């Protein structure tokens, strides 16, 4: 590393706490877990490449959201033309909301990890296939031997259950 | 999140949002700040679920899953060494910070001497112990059956079990943080012990100060102080020596378990070097042995061993106020194996089965039957009582029609009749329902019957002895003139009924019979004969040979107490309200 190279430790110290918010932001834009994961990787690389331009007096997350926004637009131009759910006006609202929620979200995410352990076994496999394997609903239905409608209901209930658990633990 | 927004969010992630619905969702997010907030939270929630599951797959598997384009990305990143190093954590390679320094037993998720990968769950198996050491010298010792994850530079997520940490001084703006289901402990540099139970986090501080936070509340915990964070209580800090069961129970949620830290019976066992010939003390619990609740002193009395197992005959009591074990007697060092009575006049060690009861009016422990140490041997047919005041045993030498007594018998004390009701197992010809009149010191046989591997409890409202186990559920009216057996037909709790020697007790305040033999707690309404099942995380593993009288309802605390092994913490179970 040269003397002018960005500080790796400093980058990690700022990037890691922002990573989850970035992933959520990208997912809000693209609505697809796999695509969001790809874009997060690309964004992380660009963030590192441009880290020397980052003004440490500003919020790292705000800066990173701006970079991610550009990556999303670029990706859409290259891969997924068509109107997005989140246009420029709505993006401003979404970004602002993410920054407002930033202080409380780490706790929420920790609670989610805990709640995941309490998820009924009947839901665990469907959730695993969806979020670990990235399986489509059809694939999950075949994998666990249920109808597509049943899988939708199962995942819906799992999400509700997890969200309720996070809320209840958060209130305690 | 309202239902419509939930539906739209799900459809969005499933790729099923129509043009019309897209417009509807967009308008909703623009015009309704609450909807916007909930939607952003929802996307973060899904993204985090994805992250958690990717982490679980581990570095190697995650890389295998990368599609070709991602692989290229990885390779291009690898071309720049600095960049790779910079993204190492993010790509789930080992994190800087902690490594597994020492291990006694087995640990999952970490390798001795190796750094701890980010996001990896680490679990000590059984009684294993493990020590993590950070680069700054901070040490985290994981106790038995402990699960942690998210071991980052200065953070540990403790999900289950207990740990002790000696934390080196930390930067004021980046304290070491221990996150538990109930709160966070922020440490600038100190020694602490942290344990997680079903619904409570207990923090003990040995040196320095720690801030324990639960939601908006926080408390500073100083040296030699303890604080407990749970759903139901205000955070406070108090000297370690003053912690009482009532404080813990008050913080328990209904239908929850609590493993009481530091309450393994082994700590009260005699010096194994001095009593080595008595064999393995685990037999105190595991060798078909039970207990009784001393309601005067509020403690669970445990006695057991015998058969081919432990040969010590000492008594133990777990004080339900101070949460401490006490050995009430020392074992007879040279037991007269093959005899019922030792040379010092004490009873031979035995598997006590359900042959123990607390005689409230006499303030004595009743003991009969069981399987003597070094069996096969004589039947344990002496009726014993133990005086808690003088800590001495007495051979009662009662009159009347005495039960022959054997293994697998059952007993329960009825405060109304002031009798011990005894279900005898020995040979059908001699078996039956007996009662022991404590004051008259006399046995009476009431009815021929065959009891075996049942646990019994007295329904004090109706005056019934209710017996369960080995596939049977039946009762006797013990306050009428002539007790007659009535078999109960119920639906549910089949597994509990099928077990031999389950835990079983009657709760007068709620008018319920409550059984447990591992897993869910089963609650029976004796009026309607309808079962309810209550599953809650945190239940201990049941003792293989039965729970016997070691599952008791404690009226003063409104919880059940259970002891399942000498190397297991004592557990409380708080029943649901109304049950």
């Amino acid at each position: 590393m040269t003397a002018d190279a960005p500080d790796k430790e400093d980058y990690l110290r700022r990037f890691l706490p922002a990573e989850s918010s970035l992933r959520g932001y990208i997912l809000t834009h693209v609505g697809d877990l796999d695509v969001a994961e790809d874009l997060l990787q690309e964004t992380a690389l660009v963030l590192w490449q441009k880290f020397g331009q980052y003004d440490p007096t500003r919020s790292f997350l705000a800066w990173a959201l701006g970079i991610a926004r550009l990556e999303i637009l670029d990706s859409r131009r290259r891969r997924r033309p068509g109107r997005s759910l989140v246009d420029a006006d709505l993006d401003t609202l979404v970004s602002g909301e993410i920054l407002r929620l930033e202080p409380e979200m780490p706790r929420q995410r920790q609670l989610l990890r805990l709640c995941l352990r309490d998820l009924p076994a009947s839901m665990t496999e469907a959730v695993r296939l969806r979020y670990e394997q990235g399986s489509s609903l059809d694939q999950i239905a075949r994998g666990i031997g249920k109808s597509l409608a049943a899988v939708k209901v199962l995942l819906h209930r799992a999400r509700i259950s997890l969200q309720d658990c996070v809320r209840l633990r958060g209130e305690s | 999140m309202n239902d419509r927004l939930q539906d739209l969010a799900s459809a969005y992630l499933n790729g099923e949002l129509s043009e019309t619905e897209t417009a509807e969702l967009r308008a909703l997010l623009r015009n309704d700040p609450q909807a916007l907030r909930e939607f952003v939270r929802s996307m973060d929630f899904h993204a985090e679920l994805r992250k958690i599951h990717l982490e679980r797959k581990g570095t190697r598997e995650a890389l295998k899953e990368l599609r070709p384009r991602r692989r290229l990305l990885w390779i291009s990143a690898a071309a720049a060494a600095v960049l790779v190093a910079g993204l190492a954590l993010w790509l789930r390679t080992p994190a800087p910070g902690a490594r597994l320094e020492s291990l006694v037993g087995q640990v999952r998720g970490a390798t001795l001497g190796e750094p701890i990968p980010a996001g990896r769950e680490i679990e000590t198996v059984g009684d294993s112990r493990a020590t993590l050491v950070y680069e700054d010298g901070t040490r985290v010792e994981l106790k038995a059956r402990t699960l942690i994850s998210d071991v980052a530079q200065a953070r540990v997520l403790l999900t289950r079990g207990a740990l002790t940490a000696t934390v080196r001084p930390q930067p004021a703006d980046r304290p070491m943080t221990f996150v538990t289901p109930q709160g966070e402990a922020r440490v600038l540099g100190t020694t602490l012990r942290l344990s997680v139970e079903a619904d409570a986090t207990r923090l003990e501080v040995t040196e320095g100060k720690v801030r324990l936070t639960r939601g908006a509340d926080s408390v500073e915990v100083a040296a030699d102080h303890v604080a407990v964070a749970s759903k139901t209580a205000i955070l406070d800090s108090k000297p370690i020596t003053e912690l009482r069961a009532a404080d813990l129970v008050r913080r328990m949620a209904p239908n929850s378990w609590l493993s009481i830290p530091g309450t393994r019976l082994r700590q009260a066992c005699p010096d194994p070097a001095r009593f080595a010939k008595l064999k393995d003390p685990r037999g105190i619990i595991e060798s078909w042995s039970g207990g009784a609740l001393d309601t005067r002193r509020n403690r669970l009395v445990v006695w057991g061993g015998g058969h081919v197992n432990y040969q010590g005959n000492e008594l133990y009591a777990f004080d339900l106020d101070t949460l401490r074990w006490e050995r009430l007697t020392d074992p007879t060092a040279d037991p007269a194996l093959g005899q019922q009575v030792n040379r010092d006049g004490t009873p031979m060690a035995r598997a006590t089965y359900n042959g123990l009861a607390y005689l409230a009016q006499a303030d004595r422990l009743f003991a009969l039957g069981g399987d003597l140490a070094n069996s096969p041997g004589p039947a344990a047919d002496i009726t014993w009582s133990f005086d808690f005041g003088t800590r001495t045993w007495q051979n009662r030498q009662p009159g009347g029609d005495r039960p022959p007594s054997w293994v697998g018998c059952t007993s329960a004390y009825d405060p109304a009749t002031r009798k011990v009701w005894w279900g005898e197992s020995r040979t059908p010809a001699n078996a039956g329902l007996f009662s022991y009149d404590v004051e008259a010191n006399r046995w009476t046989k009431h009815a021929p019957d065959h009891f075996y591997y049942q646990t019994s409890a007295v329904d004090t409202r109706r005056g019934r002895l209710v017996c369960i186990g080995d596939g049977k559920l039946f009762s006797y009216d013990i306050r009428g003139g002539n007790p007659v057996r009535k078999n109960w037909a119920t639906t549910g709790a089949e597994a509990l009924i099928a077990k031999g020697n389950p835990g079983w007790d009657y709760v007068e305040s709620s008018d319920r019979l409550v059984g447990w033999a591992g897993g869910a707690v089963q609650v029976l309404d004796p009026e309607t004969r309808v079962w309810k099942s209550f599953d809650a995380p945190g239940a201990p593993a049941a003792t293989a040979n039965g729970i016997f009288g070691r599952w008791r309802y404690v009226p003063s605390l409104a919880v059940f107490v259970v002891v399942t092994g000498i190397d297991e913490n004592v557990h409380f179970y708080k029943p649901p309200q109304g049950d």
Side-chain angles (χ1 to χ4, degrees):
Chain A
M1 192 190 307
T2 68
D4 295 324
D7 182 341
K8 175 184 67 178
E9 293 299 325
D10 188 29
Y11 173 74
L12 283 176
R13 191 168 62 80
R14 295 173 191 277
F15 174 79
L16 290 175
E19 180 194 347
S20 288
S21 292
L22 275 173
R23 183 184 270 104
Y25 170 77
I26 295 169
L27 184 62
T28 305
H29 269 272
V30 301
D32 182 301
L33 291 164
D34 282 337
V35 173
E37 200 62 32
D38 287 346
L39 275 169
L40 180 64
Q41 288 197 34
E42 291 169 8
T43 302
L45 283 171
V46 176
L47 287 172
W48 168 247
Q49 289 160 353
K50 296 187 175 180
F51 188 56
Q53 301 168 23
Y54 165 65
D55 175 1
T57 63
R58 289 187 57 212
S59 157
F60 179 86
L61 179 58
W63 177 71
L65 290 176
I67 302 282
R69 166 76 173 153
L70 295 175
E71 288 303 307
I72 292 164
L73 291 174
D74 183 55
S75 165
R76 183 162 290 124
R77 276 194 296 272
R78 285 186 282 116
R79 303 175 203 164
R80 296 181 57 165
R83 195 173 181 199
S84 162
L85 170 71
V86 183
D87 56 21
D89 290 345
L90 192 51
D91 175 69
T92 304
L93 294 175
V94 167
S95 301
E97 197 60 43
I98 287 174
L99 291 170
R100 267 190 293 277
L101 290 171
E102 186 187 7
E104 69 180 73
M105 291 314 290
R107 175 74 178 152
Q108 299 286 312
R109 296 179 193 123
Q110 295 284 9
L111 293 174
L112 176 61
R113 286 171 186 265
L114 298 169
C115 289
L116 206 50
R117 300 178 207 288
D118 297 336
L119 199 64
S122 58
M123 298 174 178
T124 303
E125 181 60 7
V127 170
R128 189 189 69 80
L129 289 170
R130 182 67 168 151
Y131 291 95
E132 184 178 302
Q133 305 294 342
S135 302
S136 68
L137 298 180
D138 279 334
Q139 289 169 327
I140 296 171
R142 287 195 296 274
I144 64 175
K146 291 184 182 293
S147 68
L148 182 62
V151 167
K152 284 185 180 178
V153 170
L154 196 62
L155 284 173
H156 184 71
R157 286 180 180 164
R159 289 163 185 160
I160 299 287
S161 174
L162 288 170
Q163 286 168 344
D164 283 350
C165 173
V166 168
R167 181 174 52 78
L168 288 171
R169 283 187 184 273
E171 289 170 359
S172 68
Chain B
M1 188 183 242
N2 70 49
D3 292 345
R4 182 57 183 160
L5 185 59
Q6 188 90 256
D7 290 343
L8 290 171
S10 290
Y12 181 51
L13 289 177
N14 292 339
E16 296 173 341
L17 211 57
S18 68
E19 282 294 318
T20 309
E21 288 170 328
T22 302
E24 180 188 355
L25 179 56
R26 191 180 296 122
L28 196 59
L29 299 179
R30 273 200 184 125
N31 301 323
D32 183 346
Q34 184 63 28
L36 175 69
R37 171 160 293 203
E38 293 303 321
F39 187 74
V40 167
R41 280 180 186 274
S42 175
M43 292 302 111
D44 192 282
F45 166 88
H46 290 288
E48 192 65 12
L49 274 178
R50 176 70 162 162
K51 180 186 177 191
I52 293 167
H53 281 85
L54 286 177
E55 286 173 358
R56 286 183 176 181
K57 293 177 79 170
T59 304
R60 191 167 298 167
E61 287 188 20
L63 288 173
K64 283 181 188 170
E65 287 294 316
L66 294 177
R67 292 190 293 274
R69 193 180 51 74
R70 282 198 209 165
R71 248 183 240 285
L72 288 173
L73 184 62
W74 168 252
I75 293 166
S76 67
V82 172
L83 182 57
V84 170
L87 295 175
L89 268 177
W90 176 66
L91 285 168
R92 316 289 164 242
T93 51
R99 64 184 170 81
L100 181 61
E101 185 196 56
S102 66
L103 172 65
V104 178
Q106 184 185 354
V107 66
R108 295 194 183 104
T111 305
L112 194 60
E114 296 292 319
I116 306 297
R120 179 71 59 84
E121 288 186 343
I122 301 164
E123 181 178 21
T124 50
V125 180
D127 286 335
S128 303
R129 304 281 194 278
T131 302
L132 314 182
V133 177
Y134 283 76
E135 288 172 349
D136 67 355
T138 292
R139 301 172 68 83
V140 178
E141 296 177 23
L142 307 183
K143 306 298 183 185
R145 296 173 187 80
T146 294
L147 179 65
I148 64 168
S149 60
D150 235 20
V151 181
Q153 190 73 37
R155 184 187 62 201
V156 172
L157 173 63
L158 173 64
T159 305
R160 184 177 69 236
L163 61 80
T164 302
T166 303
V167 181
R168 301 287 297 167
Q170 304 286 305
D173 61 337
R174 278 186 291 155
M176 180 106 186
T177 304
F178 295 90
V179 181
T180 75
Q182 292 82 24
E184 293 180 3
R186 291 171 182 253
V187 189
L188 290 175
T190 187
T191 301
L192 61 89
R193 186 179 195 283
L194 194 65
S195 59
V196 170
E197 312 302 342
D199 278 297
T201 290
R202 176 181 161 118
L203 168 68
E204 294 177 11
V205 178
T206 307
E207 296 174 12
K209 289 180 181 176
V210 179
R211 179 157 292 280
L212 182 64
T213 303
R214 177 177 56 82
D217 298 331
S218 73
V219 63
E220 194 170 85
V221 186
D224 296 325
H225 280 62
V226 61
V228 178
S230 76
K231 285 182 179 178
T232 53
I234 298 170
L235 270 180
D236 59 356
S237 166
K238 58 177 58 179
I240 287 173
T241 53
E242 290 183 12
L243 190 72
R244 292 290 184 270
D247 299 316
L248 290 177
V249 169
R250 194 173 62 245
R251 294 174 167 102
M252 289 177 69
N255 186 33
S256 69
W257 287 90
L258 175 68
S259 170
I260 309 166
T263 55
R264 292 173 183 169
L265 189 154
R266 187 183 285 274
Q267 63 196 270
C269 287
D271 180 0
R274 188 178 156 205
F275 295 99
K277 63 185 283 189
L278 299 181
K279 296 190 174 179
D280 190 339
R282 285 181 297 183
I284 295 166
I285 300 297
E286 295 175 5
S287 184
W288 294 270
S289 293
L293 187 71
D294 171 354
T295 50
R296 178 172 296 191
R297 296 169 190 80
N298 211 27
R299 59 189 188 180
L300 182 70
V301 180
V302 170
W303 184 32
H307 188 53
V308 297
N309 302 304
Y310 185 59
Q311 297 176 353
N313 64 346
E314 70 275 18
L315 276 179
Y316 297 89
F318 180 71
D319 190 308
L320 290 156
D321 295 321
T322 63
L323 305 177
R324 295 284 182 267
W325 280 103
E326 182 184 4
R327 191 170 74 246
L328 300 180
T329 59
D330 277 334
T332 299
D334 54 343
L337 299 175
Q339 305 295 318
Q340 280 206 72
V341 185
N342 289 312
R343 285 176 280 275
D344 59 8
T346 60
M348 174 59 62
R350 67 195 59 196
T352 52
Y353 286 84
N354 275 315
L356 302 177
Y358 177 69
L359 310 175
Q361 92 270 25
D363 187 26
R364 300 282 194 279
L365 179 73
F366 162 93
L368 175 65
D371 193 357
L372 300 177
N374 203 34
S375 67
D381 62 359
I382 293 176
T383 302
W384 293 94
S385 68
F386 180 79
D387 183 331
F388 289 110
T390 61
R391 300 196 176 187
T392 54
W393 286 99
Q394 182 185 10
N395 179 341
R396 298 284 295 172
Q397 298 182 311
D401 193 357
R402 294 187 301 159
S405 78
W406 196 241
V407 300
C409 300
T410 186
S411 68
Y413 175 75
D414 175 31
T417 58
R418 296 188 161 204
K419 292 176 180 174
V420 175
W421 290 85
W422 179 267
E424 175 61 45
S425 69
R426 188 167 195 185
T427 71
N430 297 317
L433 179 69
F434 292 73
S435 69
Y436 173 60
D437 186 321
V438 180
E439 288 163 11
N441 194 27
R442 187 171 186 83
W443 282 97
T444 301
K445 184 172 183 179
H446 297 278
D449 200 343
H450 187 242
F451 296 76
Y452 188 68
Y453 275 35
Q454 280 87 41
T455 305
S456 52
V458 175
D459 172 347
T460 50
R461 286 199 191 189
R462 296 168 188 79
R464 284 183 192 141
L465 180 74
V466 186
C467 308
I468 187 172
D470 199 36
K472 301 177 180 69
L473 175 60
F474 57 92
S475 71
Y476 277 92
D477 182 347
I478 55 176
R479 295 181 192 167
N482 189 25
V484 175
R485 171 169 170 156
K486 292 178 182 172
N487 293 321
W488 290 22
T490 59
T491 302
E494 290 87 357
L496 178 75
I497 298 171
K499 296 260 186 183
N501 314 302
W504 183 243
D505 207 356
Y506 175 72
V507 182
E508 189 173 71
S509 57
S510 62
D511 189 25
R512 295 288 187 272
L513 288 150
V514 183
W516 182 77
V521 174
Q522 307 292 343
V523 179
L524 178 63
D525 182 337
E527 196 64 39
T528 62
R529 310 264 170 108
V530 172
W531 288 98
K532 286 184 185 175
S533 179
F534 295 96
D535 208 354
T543 320
N545 293 322
I547 302 301
F548 302 94
R550 289 177 277 106
W551 164 264
R552 297 284 180 170
Y553 182 70
V554 185
S556 65
L557 297 171
V559 293
F560 290 85
V561 62
V562 67
V563 180
T564 54
I566 71 165
D567 294 315
E568 301 294 333
N569 280 333
V570 177
H571 280 68
F572 282 157
Y573 173 74
K574 189 172 194 174
Q577 289 176 345
D579 282 301

